[in-house]
Amino acid sequence: MDYATVFRTRSLVQVVSQYLDRLPDLLAWTHANQEMHDVGCNVAAKRFSDIMAPFVGGHGAEMRHLLHITTSLITGSCAMKMLTGDDTSPNNLNLITPFESADVLYAYIVSDLRYERVQSDAVPHRAFIDSVHSFVKFRKGAYCITVTEATADGVFRVVTSSPTTADMIVMTPGGVAIFYPDWTLGRITVANHRVTRGIAEGLGQEIGCPSVGCSTKSCFRLERTTDFLGEPCGTRCPSLWRNVAEEGGQMLVLEWDDRFSIKAVVDRSQTMWRLALYCQNKLCCYNPNNTACTAPLPAMPAPGDMARIKLEEAQISKHWPHYQGSVQGLLYATSARNPIVVSVPFRDGIKKVGSISHLQVMHWVNQLGPDLFISSTGRFRKTYNLIAEMPGGAIAVGYTFFREHAAVFPAPNRLIRGIASITSNADDVTGNVLVVKHCQGKKDKVMDCNDEDIPWVNGILKQ
């Protein structure tokens, strides 16, 4: 019997699939033919059901439906078991649900699953404090279900606040997303800034907190820096910004049932994150000890006049490692007399702009506010597509306006006040405003602004 015949024989495929513990291995061969696809996905679906069964009993279909309609995610030891197929028996089911979706889960867990709500000691790990709206624990016998309700910033803000990289695993009833698959599957976990900052502040005991997750498991080697690589970090650098919706790089998305798609949830995310403010790998070019020319970001305060704008342009030109490219934007600085054409570089590690979020706008506008590690691509950003008649043959364009985070309490923008004829202090636009041009409806097709764009942008501001 040849290999082709073996892998078209359902019974033989089923036998082989039982020996593929790791989910990436199990799902990798589903692309070979329809027989292998069906068997592999069925095995993965059964694994999911077996993981959930101790918590929900005969309510598996109901729980899958509820997770889907609330867009809730499963994380923690259950997601890890789904990924690795190990022989552990999780007794905690950890759910993350969007803002204002928790009440539906609470009612179901108590009335249908017959769990009791735990009133005491239900406190999330300190790493999640800024990302969680509410946290509730339920218990039935030896099993616990926790429901973490995210803030309005979304569920992935909770995920990217996890204490370590190995804790950044989430799943739906049909798929799993692993944020740092190579490290996690290699049983290496790297501490997030939440943990490393705790150590620096004398809170090292947080590493051993039971709710930290993978950092307490003996099968994982916890690293506080990326020195363990023994080479420059490259795109793996913890100080580089990453976008959840871009998937690639340090993220792996696997699906066995696209009716409960994890990819769709990932694609809708607007969360960006980084693990650390500065890299501590001795060999990394982004380690500030290896260069004195890394531009401090965000610029604080944002450049408000011509003198500061020239200094910031100099910072951009001497930044090391050199930015791989840039576009020209329009800056409406708070103290400027006219809009200024400025350089907007690509973010560190980006060679080609595939999204407007790849631009490093923080040279000109502080969009981070008090949180220097997690941001939203949609926050303080608004796009206007021109509907007026453009000159003959001109490409239809849109302009995206980037504003500063309200929590930095920037000064009122004198330039925009004059252009828009604002008369009330309450109506003032505060902080710098940066404008980037792109093809209409295609924010990945960025274009250079020039002085000819100023009347169009001013017209938008006057509206």
Side-chain angles (χ1 to χ4, degrees):
M1 184 180 294
D2 59 23
Y3 287 115
T5 302
V6 169
F7 291 118
R8 285 197 300 268
T9 305
R10 190 176 186 88
S11 60
L12 294 177
V13 170
Q14 289 174 328
V15 170
V16 173
S17 68
Q18 301 304 315
Y19 292 91
L20 299 175
D21 292 332
R22 301 199 320 177
L23 190 63
D25 300 332
L26 176 61
L27 295 182
W29 76 333
T30 61
H31 303 289
N33 58 51
Q34 190 62 44
E35 194 71 38
M36 296 171 70
H37 176 272
D38 292 345
V39 171
C41 290
N42 286 339
V43 170
K46 184 178 184 304
R47 180 185 296 182
F48 177 84
S49 296
D50 290 345
I51 291 171
M52 297 294 290
F55 300 96
V56 302
H59 298 271
E62 297 170 23
M63 178 58 94
R64 287 195 297 272
H65 173 72
L66 192 60
L67 292 174
H68 178 69
I69 64 172
T70 60
T71 320
S72 299
L73 301 176
I74 300 169
T75 188
S77 54
C78 289
M80 182 62 72
K81 182 174 176 64
M82 188 71 207
L83 172 65
T84 63
D86 58 30
D87 58 2
T88 59
S89 299
N91 61 358
N92 285 286
L93 174 61
N94 305 120
L95 307 179
I96 306 174
T97 194
F99 183 59
E100 296 185 339
S101 296
D103 287 344
V104 178
L105 289 172
Y106 297 164
Y108 176 75
I109 292 169
V110 172
S111 63
D112 290 65
L113 299 184
R114 302 298 181 183
Y115 279 69
E116 292 185 0
R117 182 166 177 163
V118 178
Q119 298 297 332
S120 60
D121 74 4
V123 178
H125 184 266
R126 66 186 295 269
F128 299 107
I129 294 299
D130 298 335
S131 307
V132 172
H133 177 72
S134 67
F135 178 80
V136 178
K137 181 186 290 186
F138 302 86
R139 185 183 299 278
K140 183 169 73 173
Y143 294 97
C144 290
I145 298 178
T146 64
V147 178
T148 300
E149 181 186 7
T151 63
D153 289 328
V155 293
F156 283 104
R157 181 179 176 88
V158 179
V159 179
T160 53
S161 295
S162 298
T164 74
T165 56
D167 295 302
M168 297 182 189
I169 303 176
V170 290
M171 68 175 176
T172 65
V176 62
I178 310 101
F179 278 56
Y180 294 86
D182 291 342
W183 295 347
T184 301
L185 291 170
R187 298 295 182 177
I188 296 170
T189 183
V190 178
N192 199 348
H193 71 277
R194 308 278 183 172
V195 172
T196 53
R197 285 166 70 199
I199 294 170
E201 296 165 5
L203 299 174
Q205 67 272 18
E206 291 290 351
I207 285 283
C209 177
S211 60
V212 168
C214 293
S215 64
T216 64
K217 299 184 185 300
S218 59
C219 58
F220 277 92
R221 188 175 89 236
L222 175 64
E223 299 286 350
R224 296 190 179 98
T225 73
T226 48
D227 268 335
F228 71 92
L229 294 173
E231 61 183 6
C233 298
T235 57
R236 298 167 293 183
C237 184
S239 68
L240 297 183
W241 284 95
R242 307 186 187 285
N243 190 331
V244 171
E246 291 169 8
E247 295 179 33
Q250 300 302 305
M251 191 173 180
L252 176 64
V253 175
L254 301 169
E255 290 192 328
W256 58 90
D257 187 345
D258 59 9
R259 295 173 301 175
F260 301 98
S261 176
I262 183 71
K263 187 178 186 302
V265 182
V266 167
D267 288 345
R268 292 194 296 267
S269 172
Q270 295 185 333
T271 300
M272 295 176 62
W273 87 100
R274 56 179 171 180
L275 290 177
L277 189 59
Y278 301 111
C279 184
Q280 298 182 58
N281 183 344
K282 298 180 181 65
L283 301 177
C284 182
C285 58
Y286 295 108
N287 185 330
N289 292 326
N290 294 334
T291 176
C293 297
T294 299
L297 293 174
M300 298 175 65
D305 54 33
M306 279 304 302
R308 284 291 313 283
I309 290 172
K310 289 179 180 178
L311 287 174
E312 199 63 32
E313 288 281 13
Q315 286 274 18
I316 293 173
S317 63
K318 71 178 184 179
H319 176 79
W320 183 262
H322 290 311
Y323 290 122
Q324 298 293 307
S326 67
V327 297
Q328 300 296 302
L330 282 177
L331 180 66
Y332 287 73
T334 56
S335 296
R337 299 192 177 281
N338 297 289
I340 306 297
V341 177
V342 297
S343 301
V344 185
F346 302 171
R347 283 194 282 111
D348 281 320
I350 300 296
K351 296 181 179 180
K352 181 181 178 181
V353 172
S355 162
I356 200 170
S357 300
H358 286 163
L359 297 178
Q360 184 52 279
V361 301
M362 287 185 288
H363 280 283
W364 308 112
V365 288
N366 182 352
Q367 291 208 305
L368 294 184
D371 192 334
L372 301 179
F373 301 93
I374 302 176
S375 184
S376 171
T377 59
R379 177 185 286 178
F380 304 110
R381 189 177 92 180
K382 189 170 180 62
T383 296
Y384 297 87
N385 292 312
L386 290 185
I387 57 176
E389 183 177 343
M390 299 291 291
I395 299 174
V397 301
Y399 294 99
T400 293
F401 290 61
F402 294 86
R403 295 184 60 179
E404 297 202 62
H405 197 293
V408 302
F409 302 105
N413 194 303
R414 184 184 63 192
L415 174 59
I416 293 178
R417 181 194 299 161
I419 293 171
S421 301
I422 297 171
T423 57
S424 169
N425 287 359
D427 294 333
D428 263 335
V429 173
T430 58
N432 284 357
V433 174
L434 177 69
V435 182
V436 173
K437 183 169 71 170
H438 45 79
C439 291
Q440 190 173 113
K442 298 179 180 178
K443 294 180 184 177
D444 58 322
K445 305 294 185 184
V446 293
M447 307 162 68
D448 285 331
C449 284
N450 55 47
D451 289 341
E452 294 179 1
D453 292 290
I454 293 177
W456 296 100
V457 176
N458 284 356
I460 294 172
L461 291 172
K462 290 176 182 178
Q463 295 175 17

